[in-house]
């Protein structure tokens, strides 16, 4: 096999990837061994090993202790809805979806006071070290973790008010817009920036991923008259979910 200018390991990985995509190597099939790849493609052990690493990093194959490397089940990504900052009924998009009788979603949360890190302080227009309420969430679908979220709210805005704890009190769980309105803070804008990166070890542990898996990160910030009143990071496994936006036309 002639490989041209592209690195040999990428050409080998590309050929194996195509076989996985077209079904020649169906799910749960054992990937050709390193020795077989070397012989079939006429490459070195190093090239064969690197090609296998590429497929593993892409999430197409997985190693099984004492057994070998196998093609993973190809999952059809499910959608996570993002509906702007005024979802009907006051619930978040996730909670709206879980009102569907066919959905089996749950979530758990924990809140604590903390000092704003440099990055969080910048997003909230605070000084580093200013006090914030940090709330962490794990969202589950049919018992499987499908999204993580960490939010930060300035205690200068919510401190000593009935909405200081996002998931407790009379408006617990009602969403940022409704909670802020209860203390006469009118949210009038929200921004969301979507990016992708390798998941952190603790994130992948919580989400059931393996090292090298990519996560989507939605960085969201709510504003009231230009002042940031809440910011959050949503972390979603990219191989299982896609983010779908439904934005109203004004």
């Amino acid at each position: 096999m002639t490989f041209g200018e592209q690195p040999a390991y990428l050409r080998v990985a590309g050929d194996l990837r195509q076989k996985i995509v077209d079904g020649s190597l169906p799910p749960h099939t054992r990937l050709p061994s390193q020795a077989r790849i070397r012989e079939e493609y006429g490459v070195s052990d190093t090239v064969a090993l690197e090609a296998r690493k590429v497929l593993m990093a892409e999430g197409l194959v997985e190693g099984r202790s004492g057994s070998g490397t196998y093609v993973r089940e190809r999952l059809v990504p499910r959608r996570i809805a993002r509906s702007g900052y005024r979802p009907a009924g006051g619930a978040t998009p996730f909670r709206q979806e879980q009102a569907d009788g066919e959905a089996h979603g749950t979530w758990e949360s924990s809140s604590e006071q903390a000092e704003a890190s440099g990055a969080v302080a910048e997003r909230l227009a605070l000084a580093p070290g200013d006090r914030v309420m940090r709330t962490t969430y794990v969202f589950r679908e049919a018992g499987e973790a499908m999204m993580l979220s960490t939010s930060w709210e300035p205690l200068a805005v919510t401190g000593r008010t009935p909405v200081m704890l996002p998931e407790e009190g009379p408006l617990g769980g009602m969403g940022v817009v409704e909670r802020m309105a209860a203390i006469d803070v009118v949210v009038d804008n929200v921004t969301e920036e979507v990016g992708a990166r390798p998941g952190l070890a603790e994130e992948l542990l919580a989400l059931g991923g393996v090292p090298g898996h990519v996560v989507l990160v939605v960085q969201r910030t709510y504003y009231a008259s230009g002042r940031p009143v809440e910011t959050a990071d949503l972390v979603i496994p990219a191989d299982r979910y896609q983010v779908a936006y439904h934005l109203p036309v004004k």
Side-chain angles (χ1 to χ4, degrees):
M1 180 176 292
T2 302
F3 287 101
E5 295 182 0
Q6 190 178 41
Y9 76 95
L10 290 181
R11 293 293 298 273
V12 173
D15 191 65
L16 291 171
R17 183 191 302 112
Q18 185 58 45
K19 290 179 179 179
I20 292 172
V21 171
D22 66 21
S24 300
L25 287 172
H28 310 298
T29 299
R30 186 172 181 177
L31 194 71
S33 67
Q34 187 170 315
R36 184 174 173 183
I37 293 175
R38 181 190 64 212
E39 295 171 4
E40 181 176 346
Y41 293 93
V43 297
S44 66
D45 281 331
T46 299
V47 169
L49 177 61
E50 291 301 314
R52 288 160 62 91
K53 286 182 178 179
V54 168
L55 298 177
M56 188 168 291
E58 293 176 351
L60 295 174
V61 301
E62 61 184 357
R64 299 180 185 174
S65 180
S67 179
T69 304
Y70 291 79
V71 178
R72 296 183 67 205
E73 188 78 40
R74 288 181 61 80
L75 301 176
V76 178
R78 294 200 58 184
R79 290 184 176 181
I80 293 179
R82 308 298 301 157
S83 303
Y85 68 92
R86 291 187 184 275
T92 66
F94 181 83
R95 288 176 170 83
Q96 284 184 297
E97 290 180 340
Q98 304 319 309
D100 185 331
E102 297 182 359
H104 299 87
T106 60
W107 57 89
E108 55 200 58
S109 65
S110 176
S111 295
E112 63 178 356
Q113 295 189 33
E115 294 183 356
S117 67
V120 169
E122 182 176 359
R123 286 161 59 174
L124 289 173
L126 302 175
D130 281 359
R131 304 294 291 177
V132 294
M133 183 63 69
R134 179 177 62 205
T135 304
T136 58
Y137 296 85
V138 179
F139 295 93
R140 303 184 188 276
E141 182 178 52
E144 179 184 86
M146 46 80 73
M147 181 169 68
L148 308 176
S149 175
T150 304
S151 70
W152 298 269
E153 296 180 351
L155 286 175
V157 175
T158 62
R160 300 180 182 276
T161 74
V163 301
M164 185 172 72
L165 295 171
E167 295 294 321
E168 298 181 22
L171 292 179
M174 288 300 291
V176 175
V177 176
E178 288 71 24
R179 291 176 45 252
M180 292 295 170
I183 56 174
D184 298 323
V185 175
V186 179
V187 173
D188 54 18
N189 191 27
V190 59
T191 64
E192 292 196 351
E193 299 179 9
V194 182
R197 58 167 171 76
L200 304 178
E202 57 269 27
E203 293 169 342
L204 296 176
L205 179 63
L207 292 169
V210 299
H213 275 193
V214 172
V215 295
L216 300 174
V217 180
V218 180
Q219 188 179 103
R220 179 196 70 205
T221 304
Y222 285 99
Y223 296 86
S225 300
R227 179 185 185 181
V229 295
E230 190 259 17
T231 193
D233 287 338
L234 287 67
V235 179
I236 304 162
D239 62 331
R240 285 182 277 152
Y241 294 91
Q242 56 186 208
V243 179
Y245 282 85
H246 305 277
L247 304 177
V249 176
K250 295 183 179 180

